[in-house]
Amino acid sequence: MKSWLHRADVKASPYLYISPFYLLFGLLGAFPLVYTAWVSLHDWSLLEDEHPFVGLANYKALFADSLFWNALGNTASIWVISTVPQLLFAILLAHILNNRLRGQTLWRTGLLLPNVTSVVAVAIIFGQLFGRDYGMINWVLGQFGIGHIDWQAGTATSHIAISAMIIWRWTGYNALIYLAAMQAVPDSLHEAAILDGATSMQRLWRITIPSIRPTIIFTVIVSTIGGLQVFAEPLLFGGGGLTGGSDGQFQTLALYLYQAGFGRFDFGYASATAWLMFLVIVLAAMLNFLLTRRIRRA
């Protein structure tokens, strides 16, 4: 009996320990996904009592909606402009902080400050910095003879301003992740490279980055998922408007979804948008994974 209980404990207890996560995921993650898919197949307006089944009509309307493609293009553009520099800066910062510096703890703790700052405060500050008439960015550009830019009015300029907010908030967070991975790289490799005359950048490129590739893949995938769900920054940059500017020049997919659900109260259309957004994120994450894995093998 004791041996049976021991075998049962050894085999069953791991599943018992991890079961709370999967039960909560099923309740708070999987069920909303399935229910959203069900709602997307109906003409589900909050202003109506009846919700007739319409099949794939919401998806067909979405594919024919130019505003959806505009939001998708804006999301991709902001994601690229914000994610690539963000991860490059994070690697460089982590590499610098991985050296012996005075006040190391202070510098490393400081990396998290932008991340713990309220996104509303960040948006207000960056809104002032990128102000058309009195913003500091325009003042600096004016010193070089460049005229004032209306950052909100243009597609490229608004994407740059929103990307600057995202880069400022998340670079330090990713730098800490890279720093933790860099500290696991054996010092003997760097010492041998120094004896051979390698510079700091050569050691970063030839020793550090190859050694932390799994961590880089992780941050690329997580940043992809976060970058395609950008919502608060464009919402606050536009003063709380759901259209993402007068011509939708910085309306992201998340803003478009929110506008359909809570602006027009069309939950069927919003649910279809949510599912397409989910599929786009999964596809982008898979492409990122395959690309980074190919680079790692090369």
Side-chain angles (χ1 to χ4, degrees):
M1 183 66 180
K2 280 186 177 179
S3 75
W4 182 84
L5 287 174
H6 176 72
R7 285 200 303 273
D9 178 53
V10 169
K11 290 184 178 178
S13 57
Y15 299 102
L16 191 63
Y17 296 145
I18 63 173
S19 60
F21 168 78
Y22 289 100
L23 287 174
L24 283 174
F25 174 75
L27 184 65
L28 303 175
F31 173 72
L33 272 176
V34 174
Y35 189 68
T36 303
W38 172 253
V39 173
S40 72
L41 301 177
H42 294 74
D43 182 8
W44 198 296
S45 171
L46 288 185
L47 305 177
E48 304 289 341
D49 294 329
E50 301 292 329
H51 308 302
F53 181 80
V54 294
L56 298 176
N58 283 325
Y59 292 94
K60 289 179 181 174
L62 202 55
F63 282 122
D65 188 349
S66 61
L67 294 178
F68 167 74
W69 294 108
N70 173 64
L72 182 61
N74 289 338
T75 304
S77 170
I78 293 172
W79 165 58
V80 171
I81 297 173
S82 64
T83 302
V84 175
Q86 175 195 143
L87 295 181
L88 291 176
F89 290 151
I91 289 177
L92 286 174
L93 263 177
H95 178 64
I96 294 169
L97 290 174
N98 198 32
N99 295 305
R100 292 179 181 174
L101 298 174
R102 289 184 179 178
Q104 274 188 339
T105 306
L106 176 66
W107 298 118
R108 291 174 183 179
T109 307
L111 288 178
L112 269 182
L113 285 180
N115 193 244
V116 299
T117 306
S118 163
V119 66
V120 177
V122 173
I124 291 173
I125 292 170
F126 274 81
Q128 296 294 320
L129 288 175
F130 285 98
R132 185 189 62 182
D133 297 321
Y134 304 106
M136 184 180 289
I137 305 296
N138 274 343
W139 177 81
V140 172
L141 293 177
Q143 303 305 307
F144 296 96
I146 301 174
H148 284 193
I149 298 172
D150 189 351
W151 294 91
Q152 282 196 10
T155 301
T157 54
S158 60
H159 291 188
I160 290 171
I162 293 169
S163 299
M165 292 187 216
I166 298 169
I167 290 170
W168 189 80
R169 284 195 72 211
W170 293 101
T171 298
Y173 175 82
N174 285 310
L176 281 181
I177 294 175
Y178 289 142
L179 181 60
M182 286 179 185
Q183 291 184 337
V185 179
D187 290 336
S188 57
L189 294 176
H190 288 286
E191 290 166 0
I194 291 171
L195 288 175
D196 288 340
T199 63
S200 176
M201 292 306 294
Q202 285 174 329
R203 284 188 286 122
L204 171 66
W205 184 250
R206 296 184 180 278
I207 297 175
T208 306
I209 289 179
S211 301
I212 64 168
R213 275 176 181 162
T215 306
I216 294 174
I217 293 172
F218 168 76
T219 54
V220 167
I221 292 173
V222 170
S223 299
T224 300
I225 294 170
L228 294 175
Q229 294 177 326
V230 170
F231 175 75
E233 287 85 355
L235 176 69
L236 296 169
F237 184 69
L242 299 179
T243 56
S246 55
D247 292 327
Q249 62 267 29
F250 53 92
Q251 186 183 48
T252 60
L253 267 182
L255 264 182
Y256 179 79
L257 188 160
Y258 191 87
Q259 184 188 25
F262 297 98
R264 303 197 304 265
F265 303 111
D266 191 347
F267 267 38
Y269 198 78
S271 298
T273 308
W275 255 97
L276 283 181
M277 184 174 163
F278 172 71
L279 293 176
V280 167
I281 291 172
V282 170
L283 184 63
M286 287 177 64
L287 285 174
N288 261 329
F289 175 74
L290 293 173
L291 183 63
T292 47
R293 192 175 65 170
R294 173 167 289 188
I295 292 172
R296 182 176 61 178
R297 287 179 175 173

